[in-house]
Amino acid sequence: MNDSMHQFINNDYKSLSDYLFSFTGNEFAIISSIIGFIISQDLSIDQVNSLGNFLESVGQFMLAKAAQDQVISNRNKRNYK
């Protein structure tokens, strides 16, 4: 694994998440719009499409993982009652 990938993997994403979770829903939506606008400015249409699909894929993974974790958590709570 190259150094840049190793550095990326070892970043402190919990702190970033905690920072993002401190915003209200409106602030969260506005910030995401601004970030999307800024990132897409110097990219071609194909690059915007590819990066957008990549980010959608990351989000889908996170949603699927959270849903499955919730199913297991709920099942465990029912079994302990």
Side-chain angles (χ1 to χ4, degrees):
M1 184 179 313
N2 65 31
D3 288 337
S4 62
M5 180 60 84
H6 183 71
Q7 182 180 359
F8 176 79
I9 291 171
N10 290 316
N11 278 328
D12 181 14
Y13 296 106
K14 174 105 173 64
S15 294
L16 174 62
S17 297
D18 290 342
Y19 175 70
L20 290 174
F21 295 143
S22 70
F23 294 111
T24 66
N26 287 336
E27 292 168 337
F28 200 74
I30 290 168
I31 290 169
S32 71
S33 297
I34 292 169
I35 291 171
F37 178 79
I38 291 169
I39 290 173
S40 66
Q41 290 305 293
D42 293 327
L43 301 177
S44 71
I45 293 171
D46 290 336
Q47 290 171 325
V48 171
N49 195 10
S50 179
L51 183 57
N53 282 311
F54 173 78
L55 295 173
E56 288 279 340
S57 178
V58 169
Q60 286 296 316
F61 166 81
M62 293 170 69
L63 291 170
K65 179 190 180 310
Q68 186 63 18
D69 289 347
Q70 189 66 52
V71 166
I72 292 168
S73 175
N74 289 343
R75 184 181 333 145
N76 290 339
K77 286 177 186 176
R78 279 193 304 255
N79 289 338
Y80 288 115
K81 289 183 179 179

